Amino acid sequence: MLSQQAVNEINREVNKYPADKKQAALMAALSIAQREIGHLSTEVMDWVAGFLNVPPIRVREVATFYSMYDLEPVGKHKICVCSNVSCMLRGSDEVIQHIENRLGIKVGETTSDGEMTLTEVECLGACGGAPMMQIDDDYHENLTSKRIDAILDQLETTNA
Ligand code: FES
C-alpha cells in the first residue's frame, strides 16, 4: 500500500513510543500516508489501523476530526480559510468570497486544472492574525483582497 520509505518513516514515529503504545503514532502515520497517497481512502485508513493495531473506527474518528486530513482527493494546493470567531469578525466571509470569485470555485471544490482546493476550517490557532488562511504548510495572516491576490499570484507563478 505504501512505499518502503513511508513505512520506514512510520516505523520511526512508532519507535518514539513504548512498544505497547504504538497507537500514539496514529496522527503521524496518517500524515505520512496522506502525503504519499494524496488522501486518506478507506483502504489507506484500514492499512494504518492494521499496521498500528488500532481499531479501524478509531482511525476514522481521528481522520474525520482534524481538517488537515483529506478523505477525498484534493488539488495540488489546499487553501484552508479559517472562519471561526476571530476570523469571522475580521472578515473571513469576504476572504472566502474573494477566493471563490478569483478561482471560480466554491468552498469544498477543486479548480478544473486540479491545482487548488478551497476549504473552510475551524480555528487554526492564529487568531491574532485574523483573518487568516493556511495554504499547504504556510500560514497567511491579516488578509486583505490585495494580499490574497499577491499570495495566489505567487502560487500560480511557482506552478507555471
Ligand atoms: S479564529 Fe481564525 S485562527 Fe483562530
Side-chain angles (χ1 to χ4, degrees), residues 114-157:
E115 286 292 320
M116 302 199 207
T117 297
L118 176 61
T119 62
E120 196 176 335
V121 297
E122 296 298 327
C123 182
L124 290 172
C127 318
M132 63 81 65
M133 65 180 170
Q134 179 180 6
I135 301 182
D136 304 328
D137 292 332
D138 298 319
Y139 274 21
H140 302 277
E141 302 177 4
N142 301 305
L143 297 173
T144 60
S145 297
K146 201 172 159 192
R147 190 157 151 63
I148 294 165
D149 283 337
I151 293 163
L152 295 179
D153 284 346
Q154 171 77 34
L155 203 58
E156 286 167 0
T157 305

Side-chain angles (χ1 to χ4, degrees), residues 82 84-87 123-127 132:
C82 172
N84 215 295
V85 178
S86 299
C87 288
C123 182
L124 290 172
C127 318
M132 63 81 65

Side-chain angles (χ1 to χ4, degrees), residues 48-110:
V48 170
F51 192 82
L52 297 179
N53 198 21
V54 174
I57 187 65
R58 175 77 186 123
V59 174
R60 204 168 176 79
E61 282 168 357
V62 171
T64 54
F65 182 79
Y66 293 99
S67 60
M68 63 189 174
Y69 298 123
D70 301 308
L71 275 59
E72 301 293 333
V74 293
K76 188 169 156 197
H77 302 288
K78 191 171 155 194
I79 303 170
C80 304
V81 180
C82 172
S83 60
N84 215 295
V85 178
S86 299
C87 288
M88 185 259 292
L89 292 173
R90 302 258 305 154
S92 63
D93 285 352
E94 289 77 17
V95 169
I96 289 170
Q97 182 82 62
H98 186 79
I99 298 173
E100 283 182 339
N101 290 342
R102 170 157 173 154
L103 299 180
I105 56 172
K106 295 286 181 195
V107 167
E109 295 179 346
T110 299

